[in-house]
Amino acid sequence: MYQVIARKYRPQSFAELIGQEHVRTTIENAITQNRIAHGYIFSGQRGTGKTTVARILARCLNCVEGPTTQPCGKCASCLEITGGNTVDVIEIDAASNRGINEMRELRENVRYRPARDRYKVFIVDEAHQITSEAFNALLKTLEEPPEWVVFILCTTEAHKIPTTIASRCQQFSFRSVDFAEVAGRMEWICKQEGIEADPEALSVLAQAGEGSVRDSLSALDQAIACCGLKIDAAEVRGLLGMFSLDSLHEVTQALAAEDSKRMLEMVMELERNGRNLQHFCRELARYFRNLLVAKVAGANTRLIAASGPEQQRLAEIAAGFSEEDLTRYLQLTLDLFKDLQFSLQPRLHLEIGLLRLVQAGKLVSIEEALGELSGSGSGSAPPIKKATQAGKPASPPPAPSPAFAAAPAPAPSASWKDRLHSALLEAGMQFTADAVEHSQITETNNELLFVTPEEFKLSLNEKDILKIVQKIAGRPMRIRITLGAPDAAKVTKVKPAQDDVSERALAHPEVQRFQEMFPDAQVRVVRNLKE
Ligand SMILES: Nc1ncnc2c1ncn2[C@@H]1O[C@H](COP(=O)(O)OP(=O)(O)O)[C@@H](O)[C@H]1O
Ligand SMILES: [Mg+2]
Ligand SMILES: [Zn+2]
């Protein structure tokens, strides 16, 4: 009979375990120092070794040569624990034995000494599913545990274990296992099984598990069932609904070329090949996430679940985009993924989503635009196009030319408006600063009253303003915002046109280039800093 790989290769000793070093070391120390707790909670993602370690611990405690950190694996106790049929190591699946009766029985059971072994070990799987009455019964036992009893509660949802129980247990959180370790373990298993799998195929399988060893091993089972003794990366991808770096890179290529048509063709191909569009979107989100991490952390990071050459490739592709671009793409793709889950027209949604990516790529960051301005000097430089910017390291924003610099730090006597305005600018809240600039602000006691024109409604972030107001005032204050036309006489802003400074500023070639670049932009305020 075929035994699934995950079962067949369940580690029988700590030496075989991958990852979870912190758990292993602490438990080994407890055993050597003979300080075994009566209750343990093993929590963490599924398939990361909770049940496995629980059984290893049971072996360590009950091996004839024990308690030991290296159980012999040959004595009756060791062998029976592996087989799961020993009277003194009792496995309870709380998902199906949730009742108070089972726990009462357990309490009875607990009172008797082990039949043969040193300890009675109760391994409770899915422990968060125990009912509260059953937890109470368990609590009674944990309050006065017989010396021979060890409880191991395994759960994916530690927060659902009552604190009364948790406080009497030693808790270990199992982490998702590193990509490289999972891939290595699978390579070893394949060798044992006489299966040929190239590194790329192993990498696909390791990625598929997302940190769960069991899920990766189940994927390996599937791959063997599908491919036989020679596992092929492309076939595995097809099987698991995953996409190669090359196919995902087509999206980034289309983005770099601002090629909307290519995007639409891609969706058509996906449909024609019967690929799941939701899977594609999920993989695309993962791809952008990896590009972003590669951009931030460089190639060769444990933060990316991918083989060495793949990481190299990701870093190369990421070099063609700015961090802001990648963040935006990731956000848009995640939104798209959410939409797709409920969409009755996934193809349409995917098309729109990919076109949005292309459009989003056309945004030019202010820093870049300013960098370009100061770099080119005269107005003869070609218009900025995102695609041609790709790959260039972002240049630092140039020192602002005097006429357009933000207002200098206001004198202490400056008005609320001035102080708020420059504090908001300093905090990078340009829109809110604009709104403040166009508002009428009056102070009464500990309250600032804002009268703000309707069109700035969306820019006014009340919370942000309040925070800054309090910071400036150095005491608690309140703010009240009403929408409406401010009393024109009291809004002291510089009006563009009319005066000479504004005219000169608007005629300035850099300002004109800026307006060419951002045709929808308006010059709202011109301030003469020399005044
Ligand atoms: N840390 C690990 N090291 C090696 N194999 C593991 C590890 N975690 C899980 N596995 C594999 O996955 C299978 C299921 O693991 P298990 O311990 O039952 O996970 P869970 O955390 O869900 O209890 C094991 O039989 C084993 O093959
Ligand atoms: Mg388990
Ligand atoms: Zn033994």
Coordinates of all heavy atoms in Angstrom, one line a residue, residues 6 9-14 16-17 42 47-59 123 154 174 214:
A6 N 4.4 12.5 3.4 CA 4.4 13.2 4.7 C 4.5 12.3 5.9 O 5.2 12.5 6.8 CB 3.3 14.2 4.8
Y9 N 7.8 10.0 6.0 CA 9.0 10.7 6.4 C 8.8 11.6 7.5 O 9.4 12.6 7.6 CB 9.6 11.4 5.2 CG 10.1 10.5 4.1 CD1 9.4 10.0 3.1 CD2 11.4 10.0 4.3 CE1 9.9 9.1 2.1 CE2 11.9 9.0 3.4 CZ 11.2 8.6 2.3 OH 11.7 7.7 1.4
R10 N 7.9 11.2 8.4 CA 7.8 12.0 9.7 C 9.0 11.8 10.5 O 9.4 10.7 10.8 CB 6.5 11.5 10.5 CG 6.2 12.4 11.6 CD 5.2 11.8 12.6 NE 3.9 11.8 12.1 CZ 3.1 12.9 12.1 NH1 3.5 14.1 12.5 NH2 1.8 12.9 11.7
P11 N 9.7 12.9 10.9 CA 10.9 12.7 11.6 C 10.7 12.0 12.9 O 9.7 12.2 13.6 CB 11.3 14.2 11.9 CG 10.7 15.0 10.9 CD 9.4 14.3 10.5
Q12 N 11.6 11.0 13.2 CA 11.5 10.2 14.4 C 12.4 10.7 15.5 O 12.4 10.2 16.6 CB 11.8 8.7 14.1 CG 10.9 8.1 13.0 CD 9.5 8.1 13.4 OE1 9.1 8.0 14.6 NE2 8.6 8.3 12.4
S13 N 13.2 11.7 15.2 CA 14.1 12.2 16.2 C 14.4 13.7 15.9 O 14.1 14.1 14.8 CB 15.5 11.4 16.2 OG 16.1 11.7 15.0
F14 N 14.9 14.4 16.9 CA 15.2 15.8 16.7 C 16.2 16.0 15.5 O 16.1 17.0 14.8 CB 15.8 16.4 18.0 CG 14.7 16.7 19.0 CD1 14.8 16.2 20.3 CD2 13.6 17.5 18.7 CE1 13.8 16.4 21.2 CE2 12.6 17.8 19.6 CZ 12.7 17.2 20.9
E16 N 16.3 14.7 12.7 CA 15.7 14.8 11.4 C 14.8 16.0 11.2 O 14.4 16.3 10.1 CB 14.8 13.5 11.3 CG 15.4 12.3 10.6 CD 14.3 11.3 10.5 OE1 13.5 11.4 9.5 OE2 14.3 10.4 11.3
L17 N 14.5 16.7 12.3 CA 13.6 17.8 12.2 C 14.3 19.0 11.5 O 15.4 19.2 11.6 CB 13.3 18.2 13.6 CG 12.1 19.2 13.8 CD1 10.8 18.4 13.6 CD2 12.1 19.7 15.3
F42 N 1.9 23.6 21.9 CA 2.6 23.8 20.6 C 1.7 24.5 19.7 O 0.6 24.0 19.3 CB 2.9 22.4 20.0 CG 4.0 21.6 20.8 CD1 4.4 20.4 20.4 CD2 4.7 22.2 21.9 CE1 5.3 19.6 21.1 CE2 5.6 21.5 22.6 CZ 6.0 20.2 22.2
G47 N 1.3 21.8 9.6 CA 2.3 21.2 8.9 C 3.7 21.6 9.2 O 4.6 21.6 8.3
T48 N 4.0 22.2 10.4 CA 5.3 22.7 10.7 C 6.0 21.8 11.7 O 7.1 22.2 12.2 CB 5.3 24.1 11.1 OG1 4.3 24.2 12.2 CG2 4.9 25.1 10.0
G49 N 5.3 20.8 12.2 CA 6.0 19.8 13.1 C 5.5 19.7 14.5 O 6.1 19.1 15.4
K50 N 4.3 20.2 14.8 CA 3.8 20.2 16.1 C 3.5 18.7 16.6 O 4.1 18.3 17.6 CB 2.5 21.0 16.2 CG 2.7 22.5 15.9 CD 1.4 23.3 16.0 CE 0.3 22.9 15.0 NZ 0.8 23.2 13.6
T51 N 2.7 18.0 15.8 CA 2.5 16.6 16.2 C 3.8 15.8 16.2 O 4.0 15.0 17.0 CB 1.5 16.0 15.2 OG1 0.3 16.8 15.1 CG2 1.1 14.6 15.6
T52 N 4.6 16.1 15.2 CA 5.9 15.4 15.1 C 6.7 15.6 16.3 O 7.2 14.6 16.9 CB 6.7 16.0 13.9 OG1 5.9 15.8 12.7 CG2 8.0 15.2 13.7
V53 N 6.9 16.8 16.8 CA 7.7 17.1 18.0 C 7.0 16.5 19.2 O 7.7 15.9 20.1 CB 8.0 18.6 18.2 CG1 8.7 18.9 19.5 CG2 8.8 19.1 17.0
A54 N 5.7 16.5 19.3 CA 5.0 15.9 20.4 C 5.3 14.5 20.5 O 5.6 13.9 21.6 CB 3.5 16.1 20.2
R55 N 5.3 13.8 19.4 CA 5.7 12.3 19.4 C 7.1 12.1 19.7 O 7.5 11.2 20.4 CB 5.4 11.7 18.1 CG 3.9 11.6 17.8 CD 3.6 10.6 16.7 NE 2.2 10.6 16.4 CZ 1.7 10.1 15.3 NH1 2.5 9.6 14.4 NH2 0.4 10.1 15.1
I56 N 8.0 13.0 19.2 CA 9.4 12.8 19.5 C 9.6 13.0 21.0 O 10.3 12.3 21.7 CB 10.3 13.9 18.7 CG1 10.2 13.6 17.2 CG2 11.7 13.8 19.2 CD1 11.0 14.6 16.4
L57 N 8.9 14.0 21.6 CA 9.1 14.3 23.0 C 8.6 13.0 23.8 O 9.2 12.6 24.8 CB 8.3 15.5 23.4 CG 8.2 15.8 24.9 CD1 9.6 16.0 25.5 CD2 7.4 17.1 25.1
A58 N 7.5 12.5 23.4 CA 6.9 11.3 24.0 C 8.0 10.1 24.0 O 8.2 9.4 25.0 CB 5.6 10.8 23.3
R59 N 8.6 10.0 22.9 CA 9.7 9.0 22.8 C 10.8 9.3 23.7 O 11.3 8.4 24.4 CB 10.3 9.0 21.3 CG 9.4 8.2 20.4 CD 10.1 8.3 19.0 NE 10.0 7.1 18.2 CZ 10.8 6.7 17.3 NH1 12.0 7.4 17.1 NH2 10.6 5.6 16.7
I123 N -1.5 13.7 23.9 CA -1.3 14.6 22.8 C -2.6 15.0 22.3 O -3.4 14.2 21.8 CB -0.4 14.0 21.7 CG1 1.0 13.6 22.2 CG2 -0.2 15.0 20.5 CD1 1.8 12.8 21.2
C154 N -1.7 20.7 21.0 CA -1.3 21.3 19.7 C -2.4 22.1 19.1 O -3.6 21.6 19.1 CB -0.9 20.1 18.7 SG 0.4 19.1 19.3
F174 N 5.6 27.4 16.8 CA 6.3 26.7 15.6 C 6.2 27.7 14.5 O 5.2 28.3 14.2 CB 5.6 25.4 15.3 CG 6.0 24.3 16.2 CD1 5.7 24.4 17.6 CD2 6.6 23.2 15.8 CE1 6.0 23.4 18.5 CE2 7.0 22.2 16.6 CZ 6.7 22.3 18.0
R214 N 4.3 19.9 5.5 CA 3.3 18.9 5.1 C 2.7 19.3 3.8 O 2.6 18.4 2.9 CB 2.2 18.8 6.1 CG 1.3 17.6 5.7 CD -0.1 17.7 6.3 NE -0.1 17.3 7.7 CZ -0.5 18.1 8.6 NH1 -0.8 19.4 8.4 NH2 -0.5 17.7 9.9

